[in-house]
């Protein structure tokens, strides 16, 4: 196998693994959620594993206890708000550990992480009568521990919904998966071609006896 072929193998491995893992995961989510499912907050919490892309209604945001993440220059002492976590509860449910969190990373709801006035909070409250988003189902245990460390009162099985997110388009997810399969196929072909190459005979030549006349 030529040196150029050997150099291409790491790239093919990266494309194969990345394409199959990312493409397979996003294809599964896209096929499972071709359209958003609209239901009440209480109905969703009755079976959170049923859907991933949701339009929730009849949710009550818990503005009295939210968590924020700030990032920015250390010299300012106060970075910009980049993430806000808002507890959501079914309408009329008593204030107990939240089973549902809304994760906001852009838009006007980020104002809740600053110094929003009561009027702003009331306007944002009205905007949450219908919550659109994608369940963050495959996050790591470390990510969930970081959310618990914010001090929010959370149920052990809390679910996070990324506000405004939606599944990767199916055509794109399948395309990434196809790229991963194609790279894996090229790796298999190169391996089989390498195995078929003739091997040099590394065995030592046999000694031949010769009769020497005296």
């Amino acid at each position: 196998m030529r040196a150029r072929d050997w150099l291409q193998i790491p790239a093919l491995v990266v494309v194969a693994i990345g394409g199959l893992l990312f493409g397979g995961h996003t294809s599964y989510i896209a096929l499972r959620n071709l359209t958003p499912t609209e239901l009440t907050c209480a109905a969703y919490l009755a079976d959170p594993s049923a859907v991933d892309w949701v339009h929730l209604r009849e949710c009550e945001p818990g503005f009295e206890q939210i968590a924020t993440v700030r990032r920015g220059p250390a010299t300012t002492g106060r970075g910009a708000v980049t993430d806000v976590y808002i507890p959501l509860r079914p309408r009329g449910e008593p204030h107990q550990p939240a089973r549902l969190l809304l994760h906001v990373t852009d838009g006007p709801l980020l104002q809740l992480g600053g110094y929003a006035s009561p009027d702003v909070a009331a306007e944002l409250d009205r905007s949450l009568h219908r919550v659109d988003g994608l369940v963050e189902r495959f996050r790591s245990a470390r990510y969930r521990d970081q959310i618990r460390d914010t001090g929010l009162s959370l149920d052990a099985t809390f679910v996070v919904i990324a506000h405004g997110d939606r599944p990767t388009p199916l055509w794109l997810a399948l395309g990434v998966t196809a790229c991963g399969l194609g790279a894996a196929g090229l790796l298999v072909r190169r391996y089989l071609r390498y195995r078929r190459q003739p091997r040099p005979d590394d065995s030592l030549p046999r000694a031949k006896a010769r009769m020497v006349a005296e």
Side-chain angles (χ1 to χ4, degrees):
M1 187 178 292
R2 293 173 297 180
R4 186 180 64 180
D5 294 334
W6 283 110
L7 292 176
Q8 292 175 352
I9 289 179
L12 289 174
V13 170
V14 171
V15 174
I17 295 177
L20 292 176
L21 290 180
F22 177 77
H25 167 70
T26 53
S27 296
Y28 168 77
I29 297 297
L31 288 170
R32 175 180 156 96
N33 302 272
L34 295 175
T35 58
T37 301
E38 183 170 354
L39 67 172
T40 65
C41 197
Y44 171 74
L45 287 173
D47 186 11
S49 63
V51 292
D52 301 294
W53 187 14
V54 294
H55 285 183
L56 299 180
R57 46 189 172 80
E58 298 182 17
C59 296
E60 291 186 352
F63 289 140
E64 74 286 348
Q65 186 190 34
I66 64 174
T68 61
V69 176
R70 295 177 180 270
R71 294 187 180 89
T75 55
T76 63
R78 181 179 295 274
V81 175
T82 58
D83 301 77
V84 173
Y85 294 93
I86 306 170
L88 298 176
R89 296 178 177 86
R91 183 176 297 171
E93 182 180 275
H95 285 249
Q96 54 189 2
R99 293 181 290 162
L100 190 60
L101 273 182
L102 185 66
H103 181 198
V104 180
T105 56
D106 57 19
L109 286 174
L110 283 181
Q111 297 180 52
L112 291 173
Y115 297 97
S117 66
D119 292 339
V120 171
E123 177 63 29
L124 296 175
D125 189 1
R126 287 191 290 273
S127 72
L128 283 177
H129 282 306
R130 175 169 165 155
V131 176
D132 302 338
L134 189 66
V135 177
E136 296 182 354
R137 194 172 303 284
F138 297 94
R139 288 285 197 157
S140 65
R142 180 182 177 185
Y143 172 76
R144 295 177 65 85
D145 289 340
Q146 289 174 342
I147 297 177
R148 292 189 183 95
D149 292 341
T150 60
L152 291 173
S153 177
L154 300 172
D155 186 81
T157 59
F158 71 92
V159 178
V160 181
I161 294 180
H163 181 57
D165 280 8
R166 58 182 58 199
T168 301
L170 182 58
W171 64 267
L172 178 58
L174 293 176
V176 173
T177 305
C179 288
L181 287 172
L186 286 175
L187 285 172
V188 172
R189 285 182 58 187
R190 294 197 174 194
Y191 173 74
L192 294 177
R193 184 169 37 174
Y194 173 74
R195 290 294 302 270
R196 294 194 197 102
Q197 289 180 353
R199 299 289 188 272
D201 188 2
D202 295 331
S203 60
L204 294 176
R206 293 183 178 180
K208 296 182 178 179
R210 298 181 60 184
M211 299 295 293
V212 179
E214 294 183 359

